[in-house]
Amino acid sequence: MKAALRSRQEPRRVSNGVIIAAMLLSLCVLSIVKARYCSTPFGKPDDQLKEQMNSSIRMETDDEPARSEEDAEEDVEDDSAAPVPKVTAERAEKTAVSVSGAGTGKKDKDKGRHKKKKPTCFMTSKRSERCEAAGDIRVVGNVSTIYIDSLDREWRTKPYARYHDPVAMTHVREFVLKPFPSDAPPPACTKNHSVPGFVFSNRGFSGNLYHDYTDVLVPLFLSTRRFNGEVQFLLSDLKPWWVAKFRPLFRQLSRYEVVDVNNDLEVHCVPRIVVGSDFHKDMGIVPSKAAGGVSIVDFKRTLRDAFGLERAAASRGGATGAGKPRLLIISRKNSRRFLNEREMAAAAAAMGFDVRIAEPDQHTDMSTFARLVNSADVMVGVHGAGLTNMVFLPAGAVLIQVVPFGGLEWLTGVTFKNPAADMEVTYMDYNVQLEESSLLEQYPRNHQVLTDPYAVHKQGWDALKAAYLDKQNVRLDLDKFRATLRDALSRLPPASTPAA
């Protein structure tokens, strides 16, 4: 009986073995086919590399911001040698305090009996910290100290939403939040305010348009819109030219003039203080996390009101709805220049576009440039801070980001592609091929910069920047450019129909 049973099982075992062998052989064949026919020109960056790079993204402009002698003295010449700011060492402690009490056990039984006090300072994201208190509060800005009667310990913070970047945070002034002195009266008030005070900084990388918005202005809007103008801005490291540039926006968010808190000699007394803005994402807001459910569209609407922009929506018929669509070419004069800019403009004009070429810099009047961008239906430019002006584009406009050669899609995605959809802007890529790049004139064909960009990426931000951002210009293929413009035109909202 046992012999008969074994004889019936033998064919089954052989059959199973054949099936397994066939599956292994199939996997081997598929791996060979994929390696031979489905590989990309060069590898893809792994998640860890992308995370490291995202922490290092610093947008570059052609012009340095206007700077005082004091700015020049404080600047760090070698970014790589900049020390890690002290606040990053404290972050883990503050985060731990803010989440303490989670879990189950005895604390659950005592829930409601001993509620954990919310910490004065806590991380609202990996990039941002907020300190908040109410009561008798006295701000002595010229020594960066805030006295708060309700405190039982000292806190330190830097009010700039880039905590993940030690180089940026090195430049930001630290504020100390202190309890009232026990052996002496607190500083006497010399300026009383009936509204909350809000402390923020325009140091770090501000002065670069991209960082102005993603590190300062969008977080500021997100954090202060809820006050409905009843808030006093106390600006640390104030640069007069910077405040003048964005004053129309500040006047939308606050009914009071911005105070240069580090340089006046007043003791500002406020009933409530907030130090530091919240941060959600680059050039964006998550409405479900925002007070009042505000969005980046609300921010754009506030900008329109601030700068008097009349145009709310783009059209194939241009500003009038019955004319030509306008193409705005964002020009650059140093790195990442269009080498055939005039030919691009002529090709676009021949297709029926009303073409404008503009080169924003530190001296450009913000209101004038905002109106120009708002008049555009399509805006095109090589990756760089100038594309930040998409915040002024009307809804339905098309942004064409020219992505330099070098595997930079992840970088261009984080900075402009991802934010565009939330801003009601249609986004398009124009990916530069090697034959369109000036790098082909600088390196032999077999050089690593040309053959394996991600190997360069792994050397760090400075290596990537030097190879693909600082030394590259582009000469667009005009046939490919025309095809891109035709696609952009088809994506614009239709022209309005003239009334009968």
Side-chain angles (χ1 to χ4, degrees):
M1 182 70 177
K2 290 182 179 179
L5 182 60
R6 274 198 302 270
S7 65
R8 285 198 299 268
Q9 288 177 341
E10 288 298 332
R12 188 178 300 170
R13 290 176 181 171
V14 172
S15 176
N16 290 343
V18 170
I19 292 171
I20 293 171
M23 290 174 66
L24 291 173
L25 181 60
S26 299
L27 287 173
C28 291
V29 171
L30 286 172
S31 298
I32 294 170
V33 170
K34 183 177 179 181
R36 175 63 179 86
Y37 296 104
C38 302
S39 59
T40 55
F42 25 77
K44 295 183 179 180
D46 56 38
D47 291 340
Q48 184 178 3
L49 174 61
K50 287 164 70 173
E51 179 64 25
Q52 290 171 351
M53 286 297 188
N54 286 342
S55 298
S56 304
I57 291 173
R58 295 165 204 141
M59 196 66 63
E60 305 296 326
T61 51
D62 285 339
D63 293 312
E64 288 295 319
R67 300 152 83 190
S68 66
E69 291 181 6
E70 180 183 356
D71 288 337
E73 289 172 2
E74 292 181 1
D75 275 355
V76 178
E77 291 297 325
D78 181 4
D79 283 351
S80 63
V84 176
K86 201 160 124 185
V87 285
T88 58
E90 296 175 356
R91 189 187 343 169
E93 177 193 346
K94 292 171 182 174
T95 304
V97 171
S98 68
V99 300
S100 62
T104 58
K106 187 173 183 300
K107 289 187 178 180
D108 286 341
K109 296 178 182 178
D110 296 336
K111 187 176 180 181
R113 192 187 309 167
H114 301 291
K115 188 175 180 180
K116 185 72 176 178
K117 183 180 178 182
K118 186 178 180 180
T120 299
C121 298
F122 52 96
M123 300 302 296
T124 58
S125 74
K126 69 177 183 179
R127 289 181 52 148
S128 55
E129 179 177 52
R130 181 171 79 235
C131 301
E132 193 164 2
D136 188 349
I137 299 168
R138 309 182 184 205
V139 181
V140 188
N142 63 336
V143 291
S144 305
T145 303
I146 302 172
Y147 291 95
I148 303 173
D149 67 336
S150 60
L151 286 190
D152 55 9
R153 56 158 287 189
E154 185 176 290
W155 299 82
R156 293 175 180 269
T157 188
K158 293 188 175 185
Y160 184 75
R162 204 169 177 85
Y163 263 70
H164 69 309
D165 190 332
V167 175
M169 297 307 291
T170 298
H171 300 275
V172 180
R173 192 185 303 262
E174 183 178 72
F175 276 77
V176 183
L177 284 63
K178 291 184 174 182
F180 276 13
S182 58
D183 55 352
C189 300
T190 62
K191 186 83 172 178
N192 287 288
H193 303 270
S194 60
V195 299
F198 191 95
V199 180
F200 66 106
S201 173
N202 75 330
R203 205 67 161 91
F205 294 141
S206 64
N208 171 294
L209 194 63
Y210 177 80
H211 291 290
D212 288 338
Y213 279 93
T214 203
D215 297 347
V216 183
L217 299 177
V218 174
L220 183 68
F221 170 83
L222 165 66
S223 304
T224 63
R225 176 70 180 273
R226 59 194 165 115
F227 294 115
N228 295 315
E230 292 299 320
V231 61
Q232 175 64 66
F233 289 153
L234 304 172
L235 181 53
S236 174
D237 305 305
L238 182 149
K239 303 168 186 172
W241 64 269
W242 190 89
V243 172
K245 186 174 186 176
F246 296 110
R247 183 169 280 119
L249 175 59
F250 295 142
R251 286 177 173 168
Q252 289 290 315
L253 298 177
S254 172
R255 295 186 175 93
Y256 310 92
E257 285 299 313
V258 177
V259 170
D260 182 358
V261 71
N262 295 131
N263 291 316
D264 72 0
L265 300 178
E266 305 282 3
V267 176
H268 295 273
C269 292
V270 294
R272 179 181 172 192
I273 193 75
V274 180
V275 185
S277 300
D278 294 347
F279 178 90
H280 286 176
K281 58 183 181 178
D282 292 275
M283 293 286 289
I285 295 172
V286 180
S288 62
K289 295 170 58 178
V294 296
S295 69
I296 198 68
V297 171
D298 295 311
F299 176 72
K300 285 186 64 178
R301 190 176 296 117
T302 301
L303 284 177
R304 282 217 318 271
D305 293 341
F307 292 103
L309 308 180
E310 299 179 358
R311 198 166 179 223
S315 164
R316 291 176 206 162
T320 65
K324 294 180 177 182
R326 175 167 288 182
L327 171 69
L328 175 61
I329 299 175
I330 300 295
S331 185
R332 296 176 63 91
K333 66 183 180 183
N334 292 328
S335 65
R336 284 164 277 151
R337 286 184 295 121
F338 287 123
L339 297 176
N340 57 341
E341 192 170 79
R342 290 182 180 275
E343 292 88 342
M344 290 167 55
M351 293 177 63
F353 281 95
D354 172 23
V355 182
R356 296 288 186 275
I357 300 175
E359 183 186 323
D361 59 29
Q362 294 297 332
H363 308 292
T364 300
D365 178 74
M366 181 60 74
S367 296
T368 301
F369 200 78
R371 287 193 291 272
L372 174 62
V373 176
N374 186 246
S375 74
D377 301 285
V378 179
M379 186 170 85
V380 59
V382 183
H383 171 77
L387 295 187
T388 310
N389 287 291
M390 70 178 184
V391 295
F392 302 119
L393 285 173
V398 177
L399 172 67
I400 304 172
Q401 180 175 203
V402 176
V403 181
F405 176 84
L408 302 178
E409 290 77 11
W410 63 271
L411 170 62
T412 57
V414 169
T415 48
F416 300 114
K417 179 180 181 178
N418 296 347
D422 290 344
M423 293 187 187
E424 298 182 336
V425 170
T426 300
Y427 177 87
M428 294 177 61
D429 278 326
Y430 181 107
N431 291 290
V432 170
Q433 302 302 307
L434 182 56
E435 289 70 21
E436 299 173 280
S437 171
S438 65
L439 295 178
L440 197 55
E441 302 167 6
Q442 302 172 42
Y443 298 96
R445 282 270 186 178
N446 62 351
H447 195 282
Q448 185 182 61
V449 166
L450 306 184
T451 62
D452 192 0
Y454 292 124
V456 178
H457 291 199
K458 289 179 180 179
Q459 297 170 30
W461 172 257
D462 290 339
L464 177 154
K465 177 176 171 292
Y468 302 113
L469 298 178
D470 292 347
K471 298 180 181 179
Q472 182 172 190
N473 296 314
V474 298
R475 185 181 300 277
L476 300 196
D477 179 301
L478 292 180
D479 288 336
K480 182 178 165 186
F481 180 59
R482 291 187 189 97
T484 302
L485 290 183
R486 282 194 292 271
D487 192 2
L489 193 58
S490 72
R491 300 187 189 204
L492 286 172
S496 58
T497 304

